[in-house]
Amino acid sequence: LAPWIPVVGLEIHAQISSNSKLFSGSQVQFAAPPNSLVSFFDASLPGTLPVLNRRCVEAAVMTGLALNCHINKKSLFDRKHYFYADLPAGYQITQQRVPIAVNGSLSYSLCIDNKMSQMVTKTVRIKQIQLEQDSGKSLHDDTRSQTLVDLNRAGVGLMELVMEPDMCCGEEAAAAVRELQLILQTLGSSQAVMAEGQLRVDANVSVHHPGEPYGVRTEVKNINSIRFLAKAIDYEIQRQIQELGNGGTILNETRAFDSKLGCTIPMRDKEGKQDYRFMPEPNLPPLILYDAKSLPANMNHQQVINIDWIHERLPDLPSVKREKLVEQYGILPEHSFTLL
């Protein structure tokens, strides 16, 4: 029998480090009293309008540049409709058609056989980075059989990073997310603390035989720890291989990882894109960015974002810092990883 080839792709939501939300002046603060940081816009009161947060745009541009992306000088906002109790407007403002950054790459290092002295560098392609708002939080109170809604998080700025399906196991995905986390923290574009929900990972997993098209994929949602990410992916790969080996079929569904049981469990069938009824966001014009060449001479610099200006101010990324440690101090490459 031909061996199975696993295919793993990630979608990562990183909360942008910003004092206020993506489209409103509400403060962003972890563990604030419920519903204490909600503006009229966040609660979706009629007649309220979004105002784009400059800091969030700069953070997305900075992240895109650090991940070798092409920054789109013109990007568009869209509405993604779905009904959920903690989404007051009934839609999320995102970037579906033309996101802020596309076609990037992330290099990460992997230990062979858990030996730090044997490391191999791999690269995962980044399809796009888009700006979008977070939803609120539903708290399910089983004892009183009721659900409470906290809208503090509603409207918080997120960057969604969509990776191409270039990985093949949990260990690779974990190494890529760990490197991304370091990059975001170095840039200051996200604190990326997974325990506070600032970095949430969805993993798309499928298996197929060599020379055959990709198999049906499942999506494991909202994984909030790098260790659990590796476990969830490896479990899901084995589950699919076993299911197919027994003559079963894989459903295109959303699953959750139960960390206590160490397995994935079905949540719901995957919604088709048509259910989201994407449409252009009527209250936001296209987002226009400039570089040194296209910047108009009489433009107020406070009013625009200059991609080249951000590029010049990028700090040394983790990979560069490691190289410097090895070159300057002659330490072993594996020790540079530990130090960083």
Side-chain angles (χ1 to χ4, degrees):
L1 269 174
W4 290 100
I5 299 174
V7 177
V8 179
L10 302 179
E11 293 170 18
I12 299 167
H13 287 92
Q15 181 181 316
I16 298 169
S17 273
S18 166
N19 294 330
S20 54
K21 295 183 182 180
L22 184 55
F23 299 118
S24 80
S26 290
Q27 202 185 338
V28 175
Q29 186 191 329
F30 180 69
N35 297 308
S36 60
L37 307 174
V38 188
S39 72
F40 291 156
F41 176 78
D42 307 328
S44 196
L45 296 191
T48 54
L49 293 170
V51 179
L52 184 56
N53 179 337
R54 179 193 178 104
R55 158 69 191 155
C56 292
V57 178
E58 287 176 341
V61 170
M62 199 189 297
T63 305
L65 291 170
L67 296 173
N68 313 301
C69 291
H70 167 74
I71 307 294
N72 283 324
K73 286 187 190 164
K74 179 181 179 181
S75 60
L76 306 170
F77 287 98
D78 302 278
R79 287 186 179 183
K80 175 184 181 179
H81 293 82
Y82 57 98
F83 176 77
Y84 210 68
D86 56 23
L87 192 74
Y91 61 84
Q92 173 195 42
I93 302 178
T94 180
Q95 291 190 307
Q96 171 67 11
R97 295 163 299 157
V98 186
I100 196 164
V102 291
N103 301 336
S105 62
L106 167 69
S107 294
Y108 60 96
S109 294
L110 205 62
C111 306
I112 300 170
D113 302 328
N114 283 336
K115 291 179 186 156
M116 282 290 281
S117 55
Q118 291 176 293
M119 300 200 90
V120 52
T121 301
K122 297 202 164 197
T123 301
V124 56
R125 291 169 298 153
I126 291 168
K127 184 184 177 190
Q128 65 189 58
I129 299 175
Q130 61 199 46
L131 282 167
E132 60 185 35
Q133 21 163 220
D134 206 348
S135 57
K137 189 176 182 184
S138 293
L139 305 158
H140 305 291
D141 183 348
D142 290 338
T143 47
R144 296 186 199 162
S145 61
Q146 63 181 9
T147 295
L148 307 168
V149 176
D150 179 6
L151 294 180
N152 281 350
R153 216 170 63 190
V156 167
L158 300 177
M159 291 178 281
E160 182 179 358
L161 297 97
V162 182
M163 294 183 176
E164 297 284 6
D166 293 343
M167 293 169 279
C168 67
C169 66
E171 194 187 352
E172 281 191 10
V177 172
R178 206 172 278 123
E179 187 68 8
L180 175 66
Q181 192 178 33
L182 267 179
I183 290 169
L184 294 173
Q185 289 167 345
T186 302
L187 296 171
S189 59
S190 171
Q191 292 171 5
V193 179
M194 293 188 91
E196 294 185 8
Q198 293 170 358
L199 199 69
R200 310 196 286 275
V201 185
D202 301 339
N204 291 300
V205 181
S206 69
V207 297
H208 66 280
H209 285 307
E212 290 181 2
Y214 285 176
V216 175
R217 65 187 169 100
T218 59
E219 184 179 21
V220 188
K221 290 285 279 187
N222 283 335
I223 306 167
N224 59 0
S225 113
I226 291 176
R227 199 162 50 94
F228 291 161
L229 173 69
K231 284 184 175 176
I233 289 169
D234 289 339
Y235 173 86
E236 187 58 20
I237 289 167
Q238 290 309 316
R239 184 191 73 83
Q240 291 189 17
I241 291 171
Q242 207 171 345
E243 184 75 35
L244 292 166
N246 293 336
T249 54
I250 301 301
L251 300 175
N252 180 213
E253 63 184 356
T254 301
R255 297 177 74 89
F257 180 65
D258 186 321
S259 54
K260 290 192 181 77
L261 298 174
C263 66
T264 65
I265 48 177
M267 282 166 71
R268 58 173 184 265
D269 290 348
K270 195 81 190 89
E271 301 110 333
K273 265 210 176 93
Q274 67 279 4
D275 288 350
Y276 289 136
R277 301 192 321 283
F278 283 102
M279 60 172 266
E281 167 54 58
N283 295 324
L284 286 163
L287 171 58
I288 308 294
L289 306 176
Y290 297 88
D291 57 17
K293 284 183 195 147
S294 64
L295 197 66
N298 56 353
M299 186 67 83
N300 176 354
H301 289 274
Q302 299 299 313
Q303 297 281 302
V304 297
I305 288 174
N306 182 341
I307 300 165
D308 290 338
W309 190 87
I310 293 173
H311 197 259
E312 285 162 16
R313 282 157 182 76
L314 284 181
D316 279 350
L317 293 177
S319 55
V320 176
K321 285 184 187 169
R322 290 188 196 105
E323 278 171 25
K324 284 185 177 175
L325 285 170
V326 172
E327 284 169 18
Q328 284 183 9
Y329 304 104
I331 65 171
L332 294 169
E334 58 266 30
H335 291 167
S336 72
F337 278 86
T338 311
L339 282 169
L340 231 78

